Amino acid sequence: MLSNQNKYSPEEIEVRIWGFVVVMITIILFGIVIALLYSVTFVTQPIKSMAPIDAAYTKMLNDIVLLIVGGIGGIVGKRAVGAVTAAINPTPAPTPSPAAPAPSSPVSAPPSGALPVWINPPLDETWTPPPPPTTPPEHLEPDHVREEIAAARREAGQ
């Protein structure tokens, strides 16, 4: 028979799960960092570059580490922001006001995470492109400069 004194409250369960997730992700992060350091430090590499498979392995580990660090930051940051917000702005218990009348119908407020409705701007369908330019491009040098450059290239190629 189970006793009720060993049951955890929802907050305690949340804290335990949160702590377990953070510890496991941190252990994975440290394992990857140790493997990365070992592979770069103690494995013989070519003199001027890294072996292609080691470069791919290092790049993959780098991406995984960035993902895990971001995840840890998000998990820890969410929890820390919630704790700081609760400490700075404690929510007082609402006190009923005898002078305020009860609302006759529920007020439907938009959800807090709702995105704004986007309406595309109207297109100006009367626009037509301008005619192409009739003058020579300004970035081209005069003919005698281009001939000098071509002569220099021919001399260098021989």
Side-chain angles (χ1 to χ4, degrees):
M1 186 168 178
L2 297 173
S3 65
N4 285 340
Q5 63 183 348
N6 291 338
K7 301 234 177 187
Y8 295 116
S9 69
E11 292 83 20
E12 291 173 328
I13 293 172
E14 180 183 356
V15 168
R16 288 176 183 262
I17 291 173
W18 177 78
F20 177 77
V21 168
V22 169
V23 168
M24 292 308 296
I25 290 176
T26 306
I27 289 172
I28 292 169
L29 175 68
F30 282 127
I32 290 172
V33 168
I34 289 170
L36 179 65
L37 290 175
Y38 176 81
S39 69
V40 172
T41 306
F42 297 111
V43 176
T44 305
Q45 300 288 337
I47 292 176
K48 296 204 177 215
S49 67
M50 185 180 279
I53 190 69
D54 288 341
Y57 176 70
T58 304
K59 174 70 174 125
M60 181 181 68
L61 286 177
N62 182 34
D63 294 342
I64 293 171
V65 167
L66 290 175
L67 180 71
I68 290 177
V69 168
I72 290 174
I75 291 170
V76 173
K78 177 182 180 261
R79 187 80 175 169
V81 167
V84 170
T85 303
I88 292 175
N89 285 331
T91 54
T95 56
S97 173
S104 59
S105 65
V107 178
S108 64
S112 62
L115 296 174
V117 177
W118 175 257
I119 300 172
N120 287 329
L123 296 176
D124 180 17
E125 297 194 18
T126 61
W127 181 83
T128 56
T134 57
T135 58
E138 295 177 3
H139 68 279
L140 295 178
E141 296 87 11
D143 287 337
H144 70 286
V145 174
R146 289 194 300 186
E147 289 173 6
E148 291 174 7
I149 293 173
R153 287 180 181 160
R154 279 193 297 271
E155 282 182 18
Q158 291 179 357

